[in-house]
Structure formats: structure tokens, C-alpha cells
Amino acid sequence: MALLEIKNIVKQFGDFTAVDNVSLSIETGEFFTLLGPSGCGKTTLLRMLAGFEQPDSGEILLDGKNVANVPPEKRPVHTVFQSYALFPHMTVADNIAFPLKMAKKDPADIQKQVSKLLEDVRLAQFGNRFPHELSGGQRQRVAIARALANRPRLLLLDEPLSALDAKLREQMQIELINLQKEVGITFIYVTHDQGEALALSHRIAVMNKGTVEQLDIPEKIYGFPKNRFVADFIGQCNLLDGTIVEVGSDRMKVEIAGVGIAETLPAEGAKVGAKGTLALRPEKIKISSSLPADVADEVHFRGTVHDCLYLGDVTIYIVELENGLLLEAMLPNSASGQAKFFNDNDAVEIAWRFDAGHFLTE
Amino acid sequence: MFKRNLGKWLITWPPTLYLLIFFAIPALIMVVASFRFPGDYGGLLPLYHIDEATGRAVIEVTRENWRDYFTLENYARLTEDSVYLQLFIKSFYYAGLTTLICLIMAYPLAWLIARSNQKVRDLLVLLVILPFWSNFLVRVYAWMIILGPNSAFTKITNMLLGLLGIAPQSFMFSPFAVVVCLVYVHLPFMVLPLYANLEKHDMSLLDAAQDLGANAWQRFWKVTWPLSLPGVYAGAALVFIPALGIFAVPDLLGGTDGIMIGNLIKQQFLESRDWPFGSVLSIVLTLFALGLAGLAALIGRASSR
Ligand SMILES: Nc1ncnc2c1ncn2[C@@H]1O[C@H](COP(=O)(O)OP(=O)(O)OP(=O)(O)O)[C@@H](O)[C@H]1O
Ligand SMILES: [Mg+2]
């Protein structure tokens, strides 16, 4: 039996539907991520799990029991808030001890447990400090230690790293993964940062406008986005509008308007004449001043370099195809010291394997 | 260094000078007065006289006769009659009771105002300060009428008491009337600082507390209350200190039972024309109040450890 079962929940604010018929099932020990753009209902969903909001319809089952009538303070679900919400009038140790005191644990045990937790989050020397005397990353760790203190069945994290700078964020991500493995508690993690979601999660639910667009493991989410929204939201992706012109058993042909025919893997339920989008990751596209045409299994086009973005490890070339269509291709800058292989307005040829792309029917 | 702080100096010297002239110097004069003798017709026994021939001031105090001009006698008088100590204690009691009642009444009100939406909030704050728009004495006189023997309040209350078999009460000219009116007069001074404090509270802290297992009662005592203490202290000071020295309210509503230390001080300066003893009472009152504030601060610091 799944630890958490969310069945068809809906939450409305007035006429506005913030969470629209979402169903999820989350297993014990999982690191589960809700990923989506700002305002898509992630926080609202978390607040319903924590008990601060009641769904208008649908049910939430925790360990098989409906928690509709269980108030937040009685749910074995703790939250790491986006703003941390540390108690400013309590020391770090008192903050962490708070849930244990509320649970009326034995004072001697509380002390032991607080020291253990302080060590787990590498804050052993900071027990007597007040929250305002800590850095952002340290506060973050206190918030996590506090939420873990009473060993909840489920830990909810609402964009916990969004206030940190990039470097610290990466470091905290690694710490989070290790911590989750160590404590074995189920994490539901909310973020609008796709990189973070891919790096951390066992499974990801991509949300948009209150609904779940795709639920899958990170590799599938990245490699096989189910629709245009997911493809566009996760990482960089070229989206080429086209029409199916021929469907075979192991491949099909798509006409990309004004550019030509591209071979691709057959889409589910594909029919000749159906419109859709060919989703193609930039790193899958080969780019060179001349590439042999007519290679088996390859799609080949000509274009000119429109723009380049030098990113250090890689360079992104924006290539203009014959009808003015722009396509992004990415090349690693493996030769040290060489920033660019091509300049603006260079004529180039591009190619990709037929199975590199992924056709999304409408 | 000086140049950098010039702006600061320019803005701060007018209030500093103002306080120096109208607070520090008079306070000093009062301290000196507390060691002097009263004059024959009130005021203080002069330390000099004007020589009529020259028109110059001639100082009368000399090394030999200063004991005729300065004395500890005024302070000694305090200990001669326990009535003064009793009056001090009673005044502290009334002022303390007033502060406590104000706090209990103001806290829920301030909380409600702080939690309402912006429009309602402004209206409620306006209502709290509305009584200030009428004269203080008018408000006190209004209580004389409300608590007087012929008022609807008195009649209805006595009727209800009668149903319970309790003899009719007279409310006027009693400590009860004094405290009721003191609470009424000072309530806004408690509401406003509390509101200013509660309004700034971060609601996500209450969510966090609830999420971590705190029930409504625990959320109040562990989060809201400790965070509101600065507002409580400010409000308590704004109520307690003026209530301690007030004389108009006990004068008008207190009768003989309800008089406070303020009445005695006023009496020394006006009716008895004994400025030195009036000064002594004022100084001792200030010292008591300061001592109490210091004690409260010490307890506060110790308990927050
Ligand atoms: N109490 C509320 N009353 C009315 N509308 C609300 C309320 N709470 C949230 N909403 C609306 O519901 C939608 C979803 O909000 P939610 O906070 O869940 O978004 P989110 O996915 O967490 O976004 P972000 O990434 O910016 O935190 C938003 O459009 C928001 O305006
Ligand atoms: Mg949010």
C-alpha cells in the first residue's frame, strides 16, 4: 500500500481552480518532486497535504486512512516552509526541540535528539545562536532539522533552496539527497527549478495550471516529454511544428513546413495528416561546416549561424534554417581555449538521428 | 568625524535642548527644593534678598547658617506617618490593577484589529483613538454621571443585584469608580502599541508551529505571546506611569477612600503650600517607578534566558 494516496483532489479559490483533479500515489522512502511554473498550484497542494487547506473534493489517504478531519497539528506530516519560518525568539536548539516538546517527549531524550540532529545538519556549534545570527544556508538546515526532529511520515519541502545562491544551492542539493537516504523519510519536494528536480528526485510530477501534465522518473521526463508544455518547461528544447506524411512500422515521416521531411520514431496513434510538434534537445543535434547528406537513419538540413551563446562548458548555436526557422544546437567546448567553432552568418549543416527527436501529436 | 556627524547633530540638538530645559532642569530644581524649607506664604524660603539700596541680590546662605536653609527633614517626614507609605502602596495597586485590566481587555482587541483587512483595520484604529477627540475632563465627568446614583447603569445593576439578593451598591466616590475610569482613560494607550506589534507578526510562524504539533493554546503561549512582549511592555509603561501619578480622576471620582499619591502631591503644592514636601513625594514616586521598571527588566532578562 502506498504511503500517500491523493485521489482526484480539487481546490478552488472563488472561481479560480488552483488544483484541478490531481491524483498521485507516493511510496514510502520516495523523493518525490512537484515541478511547475509559478502559480501552478504546488504550494496549494502541499498545504492540503499538511492540512492547512481542505480540498473541495477528492480525498487524501495517509497510510490508507482519510485525513480530511485531521488538523495540521495532528498529522504526521511536517513542512519546511519557503520562508523557513524559524521562531526568532528561540535559539537554534529550541527551534529544533519545539516539535519534540509539543509531542511531550522526555526532556532528557529531547536534549540527546537535538544534539544528534544538530550534528546531522552540521550545526553542532550553533545550538545557542538565534536564527538572525545565521546565514541563509544555516537557517535552511535548521528548518530541515526542525521538521525532521519528530520523525514525520512525510516531509514537505516548499522551494527550500530558492533563497540561496547557485553555489550553495548545489551543495545543499547534495546534502538533501544524502539526508533523505540517511533518515529514510519520504520527501515531497516542491520546486520550479527543473535542474533541481532532475537532480534530486526519484519521480517528478510536472504541474501546469493546477493539473499534472506528466508523472515519471527524471530520465523519462527529460527524454520523453509527453506534451509540448513539458518539453518546453524541462530543459532547452527545439519545438518544430509539422504534419505527419507517412507512417511506417518503426518510423514515420513528418513534413516540417518550409524546411523539408524529417524521419522520426512513430508517435502513439499517429495518423497521416495529423499535426504536431517535433521535440528535439539541442545536445542531440550535430552541427558542422559540412556533413554528409544521405546517411542512413539521419535527418539532414542546411542553415546559417544566427547567434551563439558561449556558456563556458558548452556553446549554443542558434541556426537559421531555410525558411527562417530557428533551431538550437549545443556543442561541448572540449578543446580547451577554443570558445567557438563557428561565427555568426557561417553556413553550416545540421543533422540528427531519426530517433533523437520525439513527435508530440496534438 | 565631526563633519560626518554634523547632520545627526543638527537634527538631534533641538529635542535634546528642549528636554534639557523643560525636563532635566526642572527635575533638578525639584531635587534641590526637596532639601529646602517652605516659604512663609508658600513657595520656598528664599536663599537671597534684594538689597534695596543697591538693587543687587545678596546671598543669605553662609558656611555657618546653611542648616537654616537646607535640611533632610522633608524626607524624614515620610517615615513619621505610615499613611504616606500606605498611599504609595495603594497608588501602585490601583495603577497596577488598571494596567492588568487594560492588558486583558486590549490584547484581544489589538489582535482582532491586526488580523482584520486593511479597510476595517483603519476604521477600528480610528474608533480606538476617537475618545481623544473629546476633552479629558469631560470624559471623567461622564463617568460621574454613569456611576452616579440616578444613572441607568446604577439602577439596572442594582436591580440585577437585588434579584440575587444583594443590597444596592453605590458606585461613585470609591476605588472602584477610580479604577473603572482609569481603565477607560488609558485603554487606547495599551491597544495601540499592542496593535503595532501584533500587526507585524509573521503568520507563517503560526503555521509552522501548528505544523509541528502545537495546538491553539500552545501557539499563543509559545509564539504569539513571547513575540508580543515588546508591545506589552510599551503598553504597560504607557498605562502604568501616567495612572500612577494621576490626580484628576481620584479627585473627581475617588472620594476619601479612592485618593492616590497624585492627590497628595497636588495638595502639597496647592492647598498646603508645602513645596519641599511635595517635591519629596514626587521624587520618591519617580524612584519607586524607576525601581519597579528596573526590576521588571531584570526579571524579563532572567526569564528569557
Ligand atoms: N488563499 C488564496 N486565495 C486566492 N487565491 C489563491 C490563494 N492561494 C493561492 N491562490 C492562487 O492559486 C494559484 C496557485 O497558487 P500556489 O501558491 O499554489 O502556486 P505555486 O505553484 O506554489 O507558485 P509559486 O511557485 O509562485 O510558489 C495562484 O494563482 C494563486 O494566486
Ligand atoms: Mg509556492
Side-chain angles (χ1 to χ4, degrees), chain B residues 5-294:
Chain B
N5 290 330
L6 191 63
K8 242 188 256 171
W9 276 101
L10 283 178
I11 322 174
T12 50
W13 73 255
T16 310
L17 203 65
Y18 181 89
L19 281 177
L20 207 65
I21 295 174
F22 296 108
F23 177 75
I25 294 178
L28 210 65
I29 292 174
M30 208 170 67
V31 171
V32 174
S34 72
F35 294 104
R36 289 171 62 182
F37 288 94
D40 292 340
Y41 308 102
L44 299 164
L45 184 69
L47 301 178
Y48 60 88
H49 69 268
I50 309 288
D51 188 282
E52 286 184 4
T54 61
R56 306 249 292 271
V58 180
I59 291 172
E60 289 172 18
V61 190
T62 62
R63 261 190 159 183
E64 288 74 40
N65 73 354
W66 67 270
R67 281 169 209 281
D68 298 335
Y69 293 91
F70 295 100
T71 177
L72 287 172
E73 194 59 26
N74 301 314
Y75 285 90
R77 256 179 80 188
L78 269 183
T79 59
E80 281 161 17
D81 195 338
S82 67
V83 78
Y84 301 125
L85 183 65
Q86 282 167 18
L87 200 55
F88 269 112
I89 292 173
K90 200 167 82 169
S91 302
F92 273 84
Y93 173 60
Y94 290 172
L97 192 62
T98 301
T99 309
L100 190 68
I101 296 172
C102 279
L103 178 64
I104 293 169
M105 288 175 50
Y107 206 105
L109 186 59
W111 191 88
L112 181 83
I113 300 175
R115 290 296 142 265
S116 1
N117 66 42
Q118 190 65 48
K119 257 192 218 146
V120 180
R121 198 188 293 182
D122 293 347
L123 182 73
L124 291 175
V125 170
L126 186 74
L127 286 178
V128 168
I129 56 175
L130 204 60
F132 289 131
W133 293 8
S134 66
N135 182 283
F136 171 72
L137 283 178
V138 170
R139 282 179 280 146
V140 178
Y141 273 106
W143 277 104
M144 288 180 84
I145 296 168
I146 295 171
L147 297 173
N150 296 319
S151 75
F153 169 79
T154 309
K155 284 183 175 156
I156 292 171
T157 313
N158 276 329
M159 194 187 77
L160 293 175
L161 288 176
L163 292 178
L164 295 171
I166 298 170
Q169 303 285 313
S170 151
F171 299 112
M172 264 309 285
F173 307 119
S174 67
F176 171 79
V178 172
V179 173
V180 166
C181 186
L182 285 180
V183 167
Y184 170 75
V185 169
H186 291 105
L187 194 58
F189 295 106
M190 186 65 93
V191 175
L192 293 178
L194 276 177
Y195 158 71
N197 173 286
L198 289 171
E199 194 246 350
K200 284 185 304 214
H201 282 206
D202 177 1
M203 283 303 104
S204 69
L205 294 181
L206 290 180
D207 278 355
Q210 186 173 18
D211 188 72
L212 296 167
N215 60 32
W217 188 246
Q218 290 166 323
R219 294 200 290 279
F220 177 75
W221 281 114
K222 303 281 182 195
V223 181
T224 306
W225 174 254
L227 287 173
S228 69
L229 282 180
V232 172
Y233 292 144
L238 286 179
V239 171
F240 185 80
I241 294 169
L244 190 60
I246 204 158
F247 61 83
V249 172
D251 242 9
L252 294 169
L253 302 174
T256 40
D257 262 4
I259 72 159
M260 293 173 68
I261 195 73
N263 301 91
L264 184 65
I265 294 173
K266 183 195 137 211
Q267 196 189 40
Q268 294 308 314
F269 280 98
L270 299 182
E271 286 104 64
S272 310
R273 294 172 171 268
D274 191 343
W275 287 19
F277 190 53
S279 302
V280 166
L281 292 171
S282 300
I283 290 166
V284 171
L285 182 64
T286 308
L287 290 179
F288 261 125
L290 280 177
L292 205 69

Side-chain angles (χ1 to χ4, degrees), chain A residues 42-43 82 158-159 190:
Chain A
K42 306 180 296 283
T43 300
Q82 198 162 355
D158 193 352
E159 308 203 20
V190 159

Side-chain angles (χ1 to χ4, degrees), chain A residues 47 52 72-73 77-79 81 83 85-89 99 102 146, chain B residues 204-205 207-215 218-219 222-223 226-227:
Chain A
R47 287 179 65 82
F52 292 112
E73 63 266 36
V77 174
H78 289 180
T79 308
F81 290 86
S83 57
L86 297 179
F87 303 122
H89 57 297
M102 292 302 111
R146 186 179 70 172
Chain B
S204 69
L205 294 181
D207 278 355
Q210 186 173 18
D211 188 72
L212 296 167
N215 60 32
Q218 290 166 323
R219 294 200 290 279
K222 303 281 182 195
V223 181
L227 287 173

